[in-house]
Amino acid sequence: MSVPLLKIGAVLSTMAMVTNWMSQTLPSLVGLNGTVSRAGASEKITLFQSPEEGWQLYTSAQAPDGKCICTAVIPAQSTCSRDGRSRELRQLMEKVQNVSQSMEVLELRTYRDLQYVRSMETLMRSLDARLRAADGSLSAKSFQELKDRMTELLPLSSVLEQYKADTRTIVHLREEVRNLSGSLATIQEEMGAYGYEDLQQRVMALEARLHACAQKLGCGKLTGVSNPITIRAMGSRFGSWMTDTMAPSADSRVWYMDGYYKGRRVLEFRTLGDFIKGQNFIQHLLPQPWAGTGHVVYNGSLFYNKYQSNVVVKYHFRSRSVLVQRSLPGAGYNNTFPYSWGGFSDMDFMVDESGLWAVYTTNQNAGNIVVSRLDPHTLEVVRSWDTGYPKRSAGEAFMICGVLYVTNSHLAGAKVYFAYFTNTSSYEYTDVPFHNQYSHISMLDYNPRERALYTWNNGHQVLYNVTLFHVISTAGDP
């Protein structure tokens, strides 16, 4: 009796993630196609920029009718002008080709996941057959227990069917992108106006559909971190850089803070493109110096640790003033409980889908990591959790969907090793590879707006995409 129940339990655990077929985010950092030089070679990357200046590529998402779609977003203001039509068409062709390539990758990964789904479907049928065959060989109580567990699997049948339908949708969308590319090629050859405005309307309609879906994409469990995308090499070995996690998509300002102690100068770049080129920036001079690199920009304000104290400071960029500051009760500071790399990293501030967090350690917690939810207006602690993980053994940490993820080192060979779930006050050890390209990470933060990790790695500003699995209940509700 125990073996069949164990197998059913394994199916329940596995199928809880079966609809989360989304692989690494299609270049979700939107807008600007750039080139990053690396040891004499170049790698084409996709970066985000304001909608007025470039395209946007969104990841797969679920529409209200349950279908999974993926498409490109064309800027509303910068295309379909009658001047410079040849240049516009050429650029449009390049963008659609990029989308088509991304769709090829997505279709391949979806096909692999579909094979897994089919194997799960076969397993469910096999279990059902064994259940029927075991009618006379089990006691009434054991048979009823097995039958009840099998009944729990029945709602997953509809999930399997929906998953296969979603796979067909991906194939259909890929053909739609191919048709769009063909239409563009025809227009480019004829250089006429026929069908051009209609083409833009089709793309804009896809934009509206996917943008709505992207906003509904729920939280999930971290299962993968992409290869690094180097944005720029600038500054000293230690520092931090970030965007505002609460800003609208049109706001792509970048903040840059070099060094890990006694610094006061914050550079604000107008866009990521300006940050890459080192142009169009303004300077903020903080009234009080910072400690560490665990700063975060949230809803127009900078949250940081005041040097040689356990005080949290909220500095408002527009008014250039400190709105509030408050001591974090019992928090260690001045290299008392830093991450493994030191650098006055006693206090680390983070933002995820649920709000503002502080990660630190107190003497009372014997050097273990404490994670606290903060009120962003008053900086008061709303609730705290003792994770039990020693902070000096952690390379860096970040929050995603209320889960604290910890790396086991700041050096080469690091991986995401530990996860603490605040919703259940529980933890687990993980093994998520993390490519530490420049061998010394001194800042690691998750941005829920871009669903990407920002890092400062030995004087390099680097981005990572993340892969999240969206867990569903057995009833099929996300």
Side-chain angles (χ1 to χ4, degrees), residues 231-248:
I231 302 302
R232 187 177 182 186
M234 176 182 179
S236 64
R237 191 177 187 185
F238 314 96
S240 59
W241 71 294
M242 65 216 81
T243 60
D244 192 339
T245 58
M246 285 288 287

Side-chain angles (χ1 to χ4, degrees), residues 106-123:
L106 181 59
E107 184 182 22
L108 175 62
R109 292 171 177 168
T110 304
Y111 174 79
R112 292 172 180 171
D113 289 342
L114 182 59
Q115 303 312 304
Y116 178 75
V117 170
R118 287 172 174 166
S119 68
M120 290 298 98
E121 188 177 25
T122 302
L123 177 60

Side-chain angles (χ1 to χ4, degrees), residues 264-298:
R264 294 176 59 199
R265 190 175 73 133
V266 181
L267 300 185
E268 176 186 312
F269 292 84
R270 185 175 61 88
T271 66
L272 180 65
D274 289 329
F275 174 69
I276 294 172
K277 298 174 183 177
Q279 64 184 20
N280 295 328
F281 64 87
I282 60 176
Q283 176 176 288
H284 299 270
L285 193 63
L286 301 178
Q288 299 160 330
W290 71 69
T293 59
H295 330 299
V296 69
V297 175
Y298 180 57

Side-chain angles (χ1 to χ4, degrees), residues 83 117 126 133 181 236:
D83 297 328
V117 170
S126 174
S181 179
S236 64

Side-chain angles (χ1 to χ4, degrees), residues 284-335:
H284 299 270
L285 193 63
L286 301 178
Q288 299 160 330
W290 71 69
T293 59
H295 330 299
V296 69
V297 175
Y298 180 57
N299 201 21
S301 294
L302 172 71
F303 296 80
Y304 70 95
N305 176 209
K306 179 182 175 183
Y307 179 62
Q308 290 190 329
S309 75
N310 61 2
V311 172
V312 186
V313 179
K314 179 182 180 180
Y315 175 83
H316 189 243
F317 284 116
R318 179 171 295 179
S319 63
R320 294 179 178 263
S321 63
V322 173
L323 297 184
V324 63
Q325 55 183 340
R326 182 182 295 273
S327 176
L328 200 56
Y333 63 93
N334 205 28
N335 262 346

Side-chain angles (χ1 to χ4, degrees), residues 53-257:
E53 296 169 335
W55 275 57
Q56 299 177 343
L57 291 180
Y58 283 93
T59 182
S60 56
Q62 190 175 31
D65 60 359
K67 295 182 179 179
C68 295
I69 54 176
C70 179
T71 191
V73 177
I74 186 172
Q77 304 298 329
S78 62
T79 58
C80 270
S81 62
R82 293 190 176 272
D83 297 328
R85 177 165 295 169
S86 177
R87 179 178 57 84
E88 295 279 357
L89 285 170
R90 185 171 60 254
Q91 292 176 350
L92 200 58
M93 283 285 292
E94 293 173 355
K95 302 300 182 179
V96 172
Q97 288 171 2
N98 288 340
V99 176
S100 180
Q101 292 171 0
S102 297
M103 288 297 303
E104 294 278 354
V105 174
L106 181 59
E107 184 182 22
L108 175 62
R109 292 171 177 168
T110 304
Y111 174 79
R112 292 172 180 171
D113 289 342
L114 182 59
Q115 303 312 304
Y116 178 75
V117 170
R118 287 172 174 166
S119 68
M120 290 298 98
E121 188 177 25
T122 302
L123 177 60
M124 290 174 63
R125 290 175 178 172
S126 174
L127 287 173
D128 183 67
R130 292 182 62 184
L131 176 62
R132 298 177 187 276
D135 189 0
S137 61
L138 296 175
S139 66
K141 180 179 179 181
S142 298
F143 178 79
Q144 186 60 42
E145 289 178 352
L146 184 59
K147 184 177 181 181
D148 291 343
R149 294 301 298 273
M150 192 63 197
T151 302
E152 294 176 7
L153 289 173
L154 292 179
L156 296 179
S157 299
S158 60
V159 175
L160 289 169
E161 293 302 320
Q162 183 60 59
Y163 191 95
K164 289 186 285 187
D166 290 343
T167 305
R168 291 191 294 270
T169 302
I170 290 294
V171 175
H172 175 75
L173 183 60
R174 177 184 168 202
E175 292 301 319
E176 191 170 349
V177 172
R178 283 182 174 176
N179 293 337
L180 186 61
S181 179
S183 299
L184 283 170
T186 302
I187 294 175
Q188 190 174 38
E189 290 176 359
E190 297 178 356
M191 290 305 296
Y194 178 76
Y196 189 74
E197 285 75 13
D198 177 66
L199 184 62
Q200 190 218 15
Q201 292 302 317
R202 289 173 58 190
V203 178
M204 292 295 289
L206 288 173
E207 172 192 10
R209 287 170 54 196
L210 192 69
H211 185 72
C213 292
Q215 300 304 315
K216 297 178 182 179
L217 201 60
C219 276
K221 182 179 179 180
L222 178 70
T223 59
V225 177
S226 74
N227 286 326
I229 302 173
T230 302
I231 302 302
R232 187 177 182 186
M234 176 182 179
S236 64
R237 191 177 187 185
F238 314 96
S240 59
W241 71 294
M242 65 216 81
T243 60
D244 192 339
T245 58
M246 285 288 287
S249 58
D251 185 351
S252 59
R253 287 177 294 170
V254 175
W255 286 271
Y256 168 90
M257 302 168 69

